[in-house]
Amino acid sequence: MAISETEMNFEREYLNSVTNELRNKISEIGSTLYQQEEKVNEFKKYLWDSKAGMDKVEVSSSILENDLEVELLTLRGQYLKKLMKCENNPYFGRVDFNGDKIYIGITYLDKNNEHLIYDWRSPISNLFYDAKVGDASYLAPSGIIRGTVTKRRQYKIENKKLIRVFDSDTNVVDEALQEVLDKESSDKMKNIVNTIQAEQNAIIRDVVHKNLIVQGIAGSGKTSVALHRIAFLLYKIENLKSKDILILSPNDVFSEYISNVLPELGEENTKNTTWSDFANAFIKEYKTVESFTSFVRKYYEKTHDELSKIKLSDEFKDTVDEYVNNLINNAHFKEDMVFKYKDYSKNELNKLLKERYKTIPLFERIEKISENVANYNDNGKYKKKYIKSLLQNFSINKDYKEIYKGLFESESFINKYGKFDTSFINKKEINYDDSLIFIYLKGLLEGFPYNGILKQVIIDEAQDYTKLQYFILKKIFNRASFTILGDINQTINPYYKYETLNELESIFNSDKVMLELTKTYRSSKEIIEYTNKILGLNFVSAIRNKNNIPVIQKESENIKNDLLEDIFTLKKKYKSIAIITKNDNESKEIYEMLKNDINIDIISTNSNNFNRDLVVVPSYVSKGLEFDSVIIYNDIDNKYTKEDKYLYYVACTRAQHNLIIYNGEE
């Protein structure tokens, strides 16, 4: 809704006053920071020069005082960075509530105790995202504040200039959102702070539930919601720092793609890792852990191991449990042991093993027994020496590769599944599927490596993690809160499929709540209608109301010429174009075919960054990415099979504005 010229003049004047105050505040804080830094450095020098003549109380008191100064310096520095981030675009929204004009940006700005801008995460800012014109309320620290919303306004500001102003009396979906959705995609994911929708906002601001499980359809903004939730939690929860948060991403390309969002919101990036890197920290017996995309690639290139289906099944956990229980039940010390001052018979040792320490993991029992021996012989010293000697007398060799090999050679395994070649166990790299079982088996035998530091764990593409992975993560980060986001319709794990993410209830129990994101903001109506047919969906609706470009399906007699013709045509209109193939081999074929005729990049299984202008990428690496235009090389009736429909769905839903599908050769 357009506004009057009088209102427009008011908004220009207000913007000028805010930008002037921002400039003053940036200068003021910058000067203060310089003085504080000088003070801290001078104090460090003073303490170093004077501590010899100071008692311990004086030293401790001085250090504490200095630490407080450093903390204050850090906080002011962070605030300065946020102010500088919004200098050219100080706010994006306004809501009039009980006669007050509430301007909303990525951080707050005050002048003489007057709020010029409210942080988008503040309680009152919630009115902008959730309330309509009329009766409204928000939850403040003092309780529920009730009143009336009389106006909701949105702004487009560029380089301190007011470009557009428009009012909405319902919610933030119309002009501002459509304008954002119609934009070309970029190399990095952007923040959505000015267009957060009510269903997204509910997830971002939820601090009631310890664990959130979110089912969100393709293009619903799951990842954006997760990152904005991190920014909100950093604002809301006292003493929560970026270092206290972990994001688990599907691959390195995706990690690079999302790396810009938190800095755009004025927050430091959190630790972002993949399962492979995470597992590698706990598996010292192998040099590397195979990536998930590499694991998936083997399946779709028909080089996979049939054993993987067994290892990733929920039932296999019971087989591992049975194997470990047998190991524990049959574990024993083989001989009497002679030490410096006190000897131990094998019966004494086995009694300690089976009775006194029976409630703790097996190899942790060895450590406890070594403490017992050390206390009697060396006043508690040389524990490691005694552990070594006890293990030499133990019935189980603490070689986890051998223990793991024994699992597949055990009678119970062979009776259930048959015999398999176990040479894969002795490789330098552990397979992705084996990494899950290996960590679980180690955890049962020596205890799971507890991490009490992390407070928040964010898991994206949750549908590709098995229940065993969630069990392991819950064990290791048992004090952390989890935000788990996925879409069962985008499953690319060929061996594992949830009917619903509610199946995770057995792990998170009453500590979890299930939420849904049911609207897609990425693709056009025409693309959504086509992708719905792939999986037989009828509940996915497109929010974008402009495109009217049909999904084009075409036959090709000369694929190279046709691809080049399509690419040159698309490049006149779109910034980012992806040719999505089924697997790495097809991507390499297309890349080699086109590289001498046009500037094109390839994203492979092992890539960690990319140029989005024109790329060729296998379907299982494209997960989470988006492009203005997508060309599908060989459709579901050809290279893709009916079993690959989820993979094909993922590939097609990467497209924002345009989708071209080639019907390739059988």
Side-chain angles (χ1 to χ4, degrees), residues 452-491:
I453 299 172
L454 284 178
K455 299 175 182 177
Q456 297 282 338
V457 178
I458 313 294
I459 303 176
D460 206 355
E461 303 297 343
Q463 72 282 349
D464 290 324
Y465 290 74
T466 69
K467 288 180 185 176
L468 183 59
Q469 282 172 294
Y470 286 113
F471 180 87
I472 292 168
L473 290 166
K474 192 76 164 59
K475 279 282 188 181
I476 294 174
F477 306 115
N478 65 352
R479 295 184 65 180
S481 295
F482 285 77
T483 302
I484 299 165
L485 309 99
D487 177 17
I488 57 172
N489 296 316
Q490 296 185 68
T491 300

Side-chain angles (χ1 to χ4, degrees), residues 236-460:
K236 179 71 174 180
I237 301 176
E238 190 176 359
N239 297 324
L240 182 68
K241 308 296 182 186
S242 296
K243 63 181 177 62
D244 303 326
I245 303 172
L246 173 69
I247 302 174
L248 276 171
S249 292
N251 53 58
D252 291 332
V253 171
F254 185 78
S255 297
E256 174 67 18
Y257 176 51
I258 68 174
S259 63
N260 208 45
V261 174
L262 285 169
E264 278 189 354
L265 295 171
E267 301 292 349
E268 294 180 10
N269 264 324
T270 61
K271 182 175 175 57
N272 195 331
T273 191
T274 63
W275 170 267
S276 299
D277 289 336
F278 166 81
N280 205 47
F282 300 109
I283 302 176
K284 306 301 182 184
E285 293 78 6
Y286 289 88
K287 190 174 181 179
T288 57
V289 178
E290 180 189 30
S291 69
F292 176 66
T293 47
S294 176
F295 167 72
V296 171
R297 181 196 66 198
K298 290 189 297 189
Y299 177 85
Y300 291 110
E301 292 181 357
K302 309 300 182 186
T303 59
H304 63 290
D305 184 356
E306 292 292 339
L307 183 57
S308 293
K309 189 174 182 179
I310 296 171
K311 289 186 287 191
L312 291 188
S313 67
D314 287 338
E315 294 76 22
F316 193 60
K317 180 178 178 294
D318 297 332
T319 302
V320 179
D321 289 338
E322 182 182 346
Y323 171 69
V324 171
N325 285 335
N326 284 336
L327 282 179
I328 294 172
N329 291 334
N330 294 317
H332 63 277
F333 290 97
K334 295 178 287 187
E335 297 175 355
D336 300 337
M337 298 189 72
V338 178
F339 295 108
K340 191 175 182 179
Y341 296 115
K342 178 176 169 56
D343 299 336
Y344 286 80
S345 70
K346 64 181 180 180
N347 289 334
E348 287 179 284
L349 291 170
N350 286 322
K351 191 173 181 179
L352 290 171
L353 183 77
K354 300 289 187 177
E355 296 181 16
R356 184 171 178 178
Y357 301 122
K358 67 178 181 179
T359 59
I360 60 177
L362 183 65
F363 287 119
E364 196 176 327
R365 299 181 203 181
I366 305 295
E367 294 187 27
K368 289 292 185 181
I369 294 170
S370 72
E371 289 178 5
N372 193 295
V373 174
N375 286 336
Y376 274 105
N377 290 276
D378 288 293
N379 295 319
K381 300 178 180 178
Y382 312 120
K383 178 182 166 183
K384 288 185 178 179
K385 179 183 75 173
Y386 291 117
I387 289 175
K388 186 177 179 180
S389 61
L390 286 164
L391 285 172
Q392 289 173 345
N393 186 31
F394 201 50
S395 61
I396 301 173
N397 181 7
K398 195 181 178 181
D399 181 334
Y400 280 107
K401 282 189 177 182
E402 286 299 311
I403 294 172
Y404 192 55
K405 185 179 180 182
L407 167 64
F408 299 97
E409 295 176 349
S410 66
E411 185 178 348
S412 60
F413 178 89
I414 294 172
N415 288 339
K416 285 181 185 176
Y417 307 111
K419 282 191 175 183
F420 287 86
D421 179 16
T422 58
S423 59
F424 64 89
I425 293 172
N426 294 320
K427 294 179 178 178
K428 292 182 179 179
E429 180 180 73
I430 187 171
N431 295 331
Y432 176 86
D433 48 348
D434 289 302
S435 69
L436 284 61
I437 315 298
F438 203 88
I439 292 176
Y440 179 62
L441 185 142
K442 285 188 73 174
L444 293 178
L445 288 172
E446 66 179 39
F448 290 91
Y450 168 68
N451 183 306
I453 299 172
L454 284 178
K455 299 175 182 177
Q456 297 282 338
V457 178
I458 313 294
I459 303 176
D460 206 355

